[in-house]
Amino acid sequence: MSDTPAADPHETTHDDDQRVARPAPSQEAAAVHAAPDHHLPRFHLRIPRGYLNDPNGPIDIGGQAHLYFQSRPRVDLDVPVEWGHATSDDLVRWTLHRPAIVPVPGGADSGGAWSGNTVLHEGVVRAYYSGKVDHSPFQSVLLAESTDGGATFSSPVQVVEDPSDDEAITMFRDPFVWSDGDGWSMAVGAASADQVASVRHYRSTDGVHWTHEGDLLAMPRATVDGIDTGEGWECPQVITVDGTDVVLVASWSHGAGPADVIAIPLSGAPRPHRVDDGQHFYAASVMRAGSWGPVLFGWVTEGRTEEWTRQAGWSGAISLPRRTWVTDGRLATAPHTAVDGLRSGVARPGHGATIGAQAEIVLPTPVDGCIRVRFGDHEHLDVLVDTAADTLTVDRSHASTDHRADPSSAVVRAPFDATTGLPAVRILLDGSVVEVFTSAGRSVTTRVYPLQAPPWSVEAPADAAYWALEGAVAPASVAVAAVPAGTATT
């Protein structure tokens, strides 16, 4: 799990000496009572105000998706983190509930209820997560249980011993638990003094008493195809895709903080690949099984300065749900088919279209040229296709005239694969959040902060199409359903 000030998604995380300054009361009040903010996502899961980061424990409970996430009521990292909670019947229209896990004063998570996941066992929702106590060198692995369908959880208990001094472990956090047939497995992210990143493996027959079985995966820090594999790995996830077990980790180091989400298949020689080629996707979280099949979420970080974020009064969102497959040893992703349910009306020609802040633009086949979302006379976002170079570039160098917005670009190599049947380019725009997907299963998650509010316009190749998108995150109006006894899902 990670905390990242809005100015830079690659901040050192979890260290008590690196915090976002508390906003002045006047700033906070102004943010809450400000006019509608066209940068605010509408259909991406987020909280109305405050700081949201890692998605945690997505789970299918009786045909309803529950998603937990790191949350604070203010843009202030001195506030102990809690588990926010939302539910959905279709993966794209979310209802917010009260926080499900709140740190217990003086308890094992008094410094924060950090990242983890959930499983169902005999009608009980079990949350495994990292508990922070300010004087402890590690975030201990805790277990809390819910008997009311995942709405509230018991006080936590520690179920895994912290690493011993002789192991020379320098970071240890973020449990991920799954059913492995005759019991339970747990992955925990770690870093060691010799800069070997690892996913530690534990097993249990009852989900309460755990034994360390060694490392599920370990790798000395290196640069592979331009990827810094990291001094340590946080937010480990294990997903089975097309019969292949794939480990997802967030690469991290004490000095530089978070880097990339990387995926490493457990079959064959371990070779890391980025899950997303953008600047603002971190802390992936998976639902291994359920009504929608395996589903992947991530934290959409901010791309503007801390000052601007504090003034806005909100930070962070959860990515759209993604489906996954493996091709040539690489994890590929695309929007889950549920995302199509956000479309309003029929497809219309993209070139010359006038759009709002929630829109989808699709280019069916690779065509040299540019898809430009023009925000105003001096602000635009470009998605450029170069078939000769076999690249796709997301260029936001002119996306905002405010210098507090990150202008960096992202380049995807070998982005297209006609055999998948997917559109060459699919752009999903939601306020300041932009998710771009390609036919080869590559993605770019980024942020834009134009000063000009909608309406905006589109310039694109002749065969591009667009849809308006509808959807909103709603407050809870009904109670969370109880879990039938005997239900078990990983």
Side-chain angles (χ1 to χ4, degrees):
M1 86 203 93
S2 300
D3 268 342
T4 303
D8 184 358
H10 297 160
E11 173 220 24
T12 299
T13 61
H14 300 228
D15 294 332
D16 293 339
D17 59 344
Q18 300 200 5
R19 303 294 191 188
V20 171
R22 186 187 304 274
S26 60
Q27 289 178 319
E28 198 166 74
V32 171
H33 299 292
D37 182 354
H38 63 275
H39 298 148
L40 188 68
R42 301 299 174 187
F43 55 80
H44 281 78
L45 176 58
R46 45 83 188 168
I47 50 180
R49 56 186 176 271
Y51 191 96
L52 175 150
N53 52 298
D54 307 8
N56 294 147
I59 188 170
D60 180 350
I61 302 177
Q64 185 178 60
H66 290 241
L67 180 58
Y68 303 92
F69 48 87
Q70 302 284 276
S71 176
R72 294 178 175 89
R74 299 195 301 274
V75 182
D76 178 1
L77 300 193
D78 283 332
V79 177
V81 69
E82 56 196 22
W83 272 34
H85 178 210
T87 56
S88 176
D89 294 327
D90 61 4
L91 293 181
V92 292
R93 291 175 175 82
W94 293 94
T95 299
L96 289 170
H97 302 277
R98 291 184 176 183
I101 299 177
V102 177
V104 178
D109 59 1
S110 58
W114 297 87
S115 286
N117 81 316
T118 60
V119 298
L120 274 177
H121 177 65
E122 297 180 352
V124 174
V125 184
R126 287 176 165 175
Y128 296 88
Y129 65 97
S130 290
K132 174 65 175 170
V133 177
D134 290 338
H135 64 266
S136 173
F138 299 118
Q139 294 175 15
S140 299
V141 175
L142 307 182
L143 166 63
E145 294 186 329
S146 172
T147 58
D148 61 2
T152 62
F153 286 80
S154 64
S155 295
V157 295
Q158 185 172 350
V159 291
V160 172
E161 291 185 358
D162 292 342
S164 60
D165 292 342
D166 59 3
E167 293 182 272
I169 297 297
T170 60
M171 180 270 279
F172 175 77
R173 55 176 172 257
D174 306 342
F176 178 83
V177 173
W178 72 100
S179 173
D180 59 9
D182 59 350
W184 301 91
S185 278
M186 176 190 292
V188 183
S192 64
D194 58 0
Q195 297 210 341
V196 174
S198 63
V199 176
R200 293 164 68 96
H201 184 208
Y202 298 82
R203 289 209 74 253
S204 173
T205 57
D206 61 6
V208 177
H209 303 90
W210 295 87
T211 302
H212 185 207
E213 299 286 332
D215 290 337
L216 188 65
L217 188 66
M219 185 178 294
R221 188 176 191 178
T223 301
V224 180
D225 296 333
I227 301 170
D228 178 1
T229 61
E231 179 182 346
W233 289 335
E234 58 181 356
C235 304
Q237 310 283 298
V238 181
I239 187 171
T240 303
V241 183
D242 303 331
T244 299
D245 288 333
V246 180
V247 175
L248 289 82
V249 295
S251 63
W252 175 93
S253 66
H254 286 284
D260 294 299
V261 177
I262 56 178
I264 308 172
L266 288 179
S267 59
R271 189 168 189 86
H273 295 281
R274 287 188 182 91
V275 172
D276 189 281
D277 290 291
Q279 305 91 339
H280 300 291
F281 182 92
Y282 197 70
S285 185
V286 302
M287 183 190 299
R288 283 177 53 89
S291 304
W292 304 273
V295 184
L296 171 67
F297 297 91
W299 168 27
V300 182
T301 64
E302 291 295 323
R304 55 184 173 180
T305 63
E306 297 173 32
E307 173 200 20
W308 196 353
T309 302
R310 290 196 302 268
Q311 290 173 352
W314 62 273
S315 176
I318 304 299
S319 74
L320 291 171
R322 302 182 181 191
R323 64 181 183 88
T324 60
W325 68 99
V326 174
T327 177
D328 296 328
R330 182 184 194 121
L331 186 73
T333 71
H336 195 281
T337 54
V339 173
D340 293 353
L342 293 170
R343 292 172 173 172
S344 175
V346 299
R348 300 176 183 178
H351 183 65
T354 299
I355 63 172
Q358 284 69 42
E360 176 181 352
I361 304 167
V362 170
L363 184 66
T365 58
V367 178
D368 285 326
C370 175
I371 301 172
R372 172 168 290 181
V373 179
R374 184 174 290 282
F375 306 118
D377 291 342
H378 305 290
E379 295 179 318
H380 58 263
L381 170 71
D382 286 345
V383 178
L384 302 117
V385 173
D386 187 332
T387 57
D390 199 18
T391 60
L392 176 140
T393 302
V394 179
D395 180 357
R396 51 183 186 156
S397 59
H398 298 285
S400 178
T401 54
D402 193 313
H403 68 278
R404 297 176 297 173
D406 182 354
S408 61
S409 298
V411 179
V412 181
R413 305 190 185 284
F416 307 119
D417 181 356
T419 67
T420 64
L422 297 172
V425 183
R426 186 174 181 183
I427 303 168
L428 293 146
L429 173 65
D430 185 14
S432 58
V433 175
V434 181
E435 294 189 65
V436 181
F437 297 89
T438 77
S439 56
R442 307 292 293 277
S443 62
V444 172
T445 300
T446 193
R447 302 298 291 265
V448 293
Y449 302 93
L451 297 186
Q452 177 64 53
W456 299 328
S457 62
V458 177
E459 302 165 19
D463 58 346
Y466 98 96
W467 286 262
L469 300 181
E470 292 183 348
V473 179
S477 58
V478 295
V480 177
V483 184
T487 304
T489 303
T490 53

